Amino acid sequence: MAALSKVFDEYMRTETCQSFRMHPESCPAHCLKDIPLYLLSNFKYFAPICLLPLLVKLRHINKKKLRQTLEYYAECSLIGAAVGYTINVLICFLRYIFGRFTYYSYLYVPSLIGGCLHNITSDRVKNIFETSVFQCNIDTYLLLRSNTITRLIANSKHLQTYIFMFCSALILQGKYLYNLKGFWFLQPNNKLADFENTENAKCQLHPESSCQQHLWYGMRKYFLLGLTLDLIKTMMSKVDVTKTQSKMWGKVRNFRVRSMALLTSYIGVYRFTHCYLNRKFPHQKNLNHILSGFLSGICYSCYPQSNLFSYALVQAIFTIWNIIRINNFNSKHQVLKYLLRIPFGKILFPIGLANIVHYVCLKPEYCSPLAIAITNGVTNQYPNVIRKEVALMKQKTEF
């Protein structure tokens, strides 16, 4: 990074937006032209993210839920467009203010300022933006392997599986005991009251059906959901037409059983283990649920991906923080109450976004495909343009 900073100080001193080929027209014309493009890019990017859950609840959808989903979709898209467009404008504006591009005013500072706009939106939208950015940062640190811990985790799929199992138990327990929100693969079984009948004649988790039916219904539902996700990923995948006879045949060859295997095995292990333990040890309800959530996390071995691992880690951190806040809501300790009121998510999100945009454009080899997809989706593929020009700049300066 220090060498690249030196290149900026020496080579970029006389460059303008036009000479660096960021856009051929003037900066005002470029910013004005990009307004509808940014809106279209964000509405396209957030469509599968926000509207796909409707497929899961299609049978139980009503006008209220449909309206809430569409409002959520519109809010995500508009805020994403505002953040991306602000970064775009500030890149040109700061070059005009400083008279040249500098290492940090080129991308980092515009992204830091643009990221602050996410604070004006609702908590639900904040959550998806913060989760995505923090997840991408964890991926970057694992790819950097800058210390012993990140190298150890990144190089060991077995260690990742054990950590994922702990995260699974923690997240499901938080939802089970505290009814915490936030997306996870499944919602836990209903919490059982201590005074309920503990006879083993019928499982208390689903008195309306047998354990076999309960397991079958869950696995069938998540099998279909996982299959739908895999098909959507296949249809959206890029195909090299030169290596295949047709584009459709290339997409068929790209089909992978990933989400289907992950979701089906996850719900299967969770429900089977929870039913078995509650029938054998009916007085250990919390411990039974913790063990069920922990063992279900072994399904990570079916789909060992860094994006999945980092997402579980982020959700586990959120769960711990929310549990601490709930348990200390009426605390008399003034320092603790002050710490719990600090909006760490609002503070860290702009920093995390700036870090990701900085790495995506200048050091893309340390960014996951998810980070590249997010930044391109929110900023109308602008990082692709910058990344290509930065690569050419490195070649010219022999960096």
Side-chain angles (χ1 to χ4, degrees), residues 2-289:
L4 189 56
S5 178
K6 184 179 179 181
V7 172
F8 264 84
D9 291 337
E10 295 178 357
Y11 178 75
M12 299 293 290
R13 185 179 299 275
T14 59
E15 294 293 325
T16 63
C17 295
Q18 291 76 25
S19 63
F20 198 48
R21 294 188 298 182
M22 293 175 60
H23 51 81
E25 63 278 332
S26 65
C27 292
H30 166 70
C31 294
L32 188 62
K33 182 190 74 173
D34 275 6
I35 294 177
L37 297 177
Y38 272 70
L39 289 170
L40 181 62
S41 177
N42 278 270
F43 274 99
K44 179 182 177 181
Y45 173 75
F46 284 103
I49 297 174
C50 299
L51 301 181
L52 188 61
L54 287 177
L55 295 176
V56 184
K57 305 175 183 178
L58 199 57
R59 293 183 178 180
H60 308 287
I61 196 69
N62 54 43
K63 291 183 178 180
K64 181 180 179 181
K65 291 181 179 179
L66 180 60
R67 186 182 68 254
Q68 290 175 344
T69 301
L70 293 177
E71 289 175 352
Y72 175 58
Y73 170 50
E75 190 175 1
C76 286
S77 302
L78 292 173
I79 289 298
V83 171
Y85 184 73
T86 301
I87 296 172
N88 185 359
V89 171
L90 287 175
I91 289 174
C92 296
F93 181 73
L94 291 179
R95 187 202 64 79
Y96 176 77
I97 293 296
F98 292 110
R100 63 186 181 92
F101 291 118
T102 66
Y103 184 61
Y104 285 104
S105 67
Y106 182 48
L107 292 167
Y108 193 89
V109 175
S111 303
L112 188 68
I113 298 173
C116 295
L117 291 178
H118 101 293
N119 292 325
I120 65 176
T121 189
S122 63
D123 290 338
R124 187 182 181 188
V125 177
K126 283 193 188 79
N127 182 66
I128 186 175
F129 275 73
E130 291 172 1
T131 301
S132 301
V133 167
F134 297 154
Q135 178 184 353
C136 292
N137 273 277
I138 292 177
D139 286 339
T140 297
Y141 293 136
L142 292 177
L143 288 171
L144 282 170
R145 291 173 168 82
S146 56
N147 55 62
T148 304
I149 296 177
T150 55
R151 283 195 297 271
L152 189 63
I153 295 175
N155 295 329
S156 175
K157 296 298 181 182
H158 296 295
L159 181 58
Q160 290 181 24
T161 301
Y162 289 132
I163 296 175
F164 185 88
M165 293 171 72
F166 280 109
C167 292
S168 172
L170 183 61
I171 295 167
L172 287 174
Q173 190 68 2
K175 289 180 172 292
Y176 181 74
L177 292 180
Y178 298 92
N179 194 28
L180 297 179
K181 305 301 180 182
F183 173 77
W184 189 240
F185 305 124
L186 58 88
Q187 289 295 321
N189 293 320
N190 295 326
K191 186 179 179 182
L192 299 176
D194 293 334
F195 56 83
E196 289 189 16
N197 188 1
T198 58
E199 293 181 0
N200 290 335
K202 206 166 190 179
C203 186
Q204 301 175 62
L205 294 172
H206 43 84
E208 73 287 348
S209 61
S210 65
C211 292
Q212 291 82 358
Q213 289 175 325
H214 181 62
L215 178 63
W216 164 247
Y217 293 153
M219 293 185 69
R220 183 182 63 181
K221 175 182 177 181
Y222 281 85
F223 172 86
L224 295 174
L225 176 59
L227 178 61
T228 304
L229 289 173
D230 286 330
L231 289 174
I232 292 174
K233 290 177 183 177
T234 300
M235 297 307 297
M236 295 178 65
S237 63
K238 294 182 179 180
V239 178
D240 188 355
V241 183
T242 60
K243 296 182 180 180
T244 57
Q245 296 179 353
S246 66
K247 189 174 182 180
M248 181 56 67
W249 175 243
K251 288 185 179 292
V252 172
R253 293 182 63 182
N254 283 343
F255 178 76
R256 297 291 184 273
V257 179
R258 290 177 176 174
S259 298
M260 184 175 66
L262 170 69
L263 296 178
T264 306
S265 60
Y266 192 88
I267 187 70
V269 174
Y270 172 76
R271 287 195 172 184
F272 173 81
T273 309
H274 202 192
C275 287
Y276 177 80
L277 292 175
N278 272 285
R279 291 176 68 91
K280 292 295 183 181
F281 310 100
H283 299 289
Q284 303 291 335
K285 298 180 177 62
N286 284 339
L287 181 60
N288 292 341
H289 188 262

